[in-house]
Amino acid sequence: MTHVSTGTASASIDRESPSTRLIAGISVSDTPLITAVVEYAQRVSEPYLFNHAMRSWLFAEAIGRMKRIDYDREIVAIGTILHDIGLTASVSGPNRFEVNGADAAVAFIKGQGFSDRRAQLVWDLVALNSTPSLALHKEPEVAVGTMGIGLDYGGFGVQALPAGDLESILSAFPRLKMKQAFADTCCRLVTDKPETSYDNFLRDFGERFVPGYKAVSTVDLLMNAPFDE
């Protein structure tokens, strides 16, 4: 029996076969690159954010299994585990955090023999995960990963998940006061880089919690465009 440390808790991992393993009772793909991705995410993320990423991966796998969806399990693993690294101090850039994170995720897997197509799927999953109105209509890898992330973020689809799976995943990777911690992280980003918050969900956190925050209006952009009509 081996363990993945999660800061305040650990997740039991039983070997199922050379290519898969069980984490919190969920069968997941087991490759050296996934192991490296888990270690990277754990190294750069606060414990609550790492646990969120791991739960999202496990929920995605549980959903994919229930819905009998055919998808590249390594892509889903990489994209879901790294989907929020743009919120960490280790990743920076001029763009919205999802794009910065997507660029960092693809940079991490560079040189691993990925085709351009598979690398693009990782990028899309990370960049679009917070925009389910788009991501759920993309390739199966992007859609399944987004479903897992959405379940952990807002409980979307939780009723369809077997109670045993839910309990096992939450026990292995506890939420660690995620609601407040995630809100605090988003508010810090809104305060530090407001220009990256106007067209994503950071705007909601800014309007709710950040004094003096005022988002750019897309209506104003249209009406103030340098054209007569």
Side-chain angles (χ1 to χ4, degrees):
M1 185 79 71
T2 57
H3 297 277
V4 173
S5 172
T6 62
T8 62
S10 62
S12 295
I13 300 176
D14 294 315
R15 289 292 172 183
E16 183 179 86
S17 77
S19 60
T20 63
R21 60 177 172 172
L22 291 178
I23 303 180
I26 304 297
S27 175
V28 298
S29 183
D30 183 20
T31 69
L33 181 55
I34 292 175
T35 298
V37 164
V38 170
E39 292 172 351
Y40 170 51
Q42 187 169 23
R43 185 171 66 252
V44 303
S45 304
E46 295 181 53
Y48 91 87
L49 196 62
F50 173 72
N51 281 13
H52 164 56
M54 293 297 289
R55 289 193 307 269
S56 296
W57 175 32
L58 299 176
F59 285 143
E61 285 287 354
I63 291 168
R65 179 187 65 202
M66 287 189 304
K67 293 181 176 290
R68 299 182 181 277
I69 299 172
D70 183 24
Y71 58 92
D72 185 327
R73 299 180 75 184
E74 189 175 47
I75 295 299
V76 169
I78 295 167
T80 52
I81 294 168
L82 298 182
H83 80 273
D84 269 342
I85 58 169
L87 291 174
T88 69
S90 69
V91 174
S92 63
N95 302 305
R96 52 189 281 178
F97 79 89
E98 301 97 330
V99 173
N100 292 334
D103 289 345
V106 171
F108 185 81
I109 64 175
K110 187 177 182 180
Q112 298 293 329
F114 270 52
S115 67
D116 289 345
R117 175 62 173 166
R118 295 184 80 222
Q120 184 66 56
L121 288 173
V122 170
W123 195 95
D124 286 353
L125 174 48
V126 177
L128 296 176
N129 82 85
S130 64
T131 314
S133 57
L134 295 177
L136 294 179
H137 299 279
K138 291 282 290 178
E139 294 83 357
E141 292 79 10
V142 179
V144 168
T146 299
M147 289 178 200
I149 295 163
L151 193 157
D152 194 62
Y153 180 87
F156 306 117
V158 69
Q159 299 85 355
L161 197 71
D165 287 351
L166 180 63
E167 292 170 3
S168 295
I169 293 170
L170 289 173
S171 177
F173 297 96
R175 291 181 65 84
L176 305 179
K177 302 185 183 300
M178 175 180 159
K179 292 180 180 181
Q180 188 59 55
F182 195 91
D184 290 345
T185 295
C186 291
C187 288
R188 285 197 298 271
L189 194 53
V190 168
T191 301
D192 293 343
K193 299 176 64 178
E195 70 279 3
T196 69
S197 69
Y198 302 141
D199 64 345
N200 60 12
F201 72 73
L202 289 180
R203 178 178 185 151
D204 295 335
F205 286 93
E207 291 177 340
R208 179 74 63 89
F209 298 118
V210 179
Y213 175 80
K214 182 174 176 56
V216 172
S217 168
T218 55
V219 176
D220 289 341
L221 293 177
L222 172 66
M223 296 305 175
N224 295 330
F227 307 106
D228 292 337
E229 57 179 317

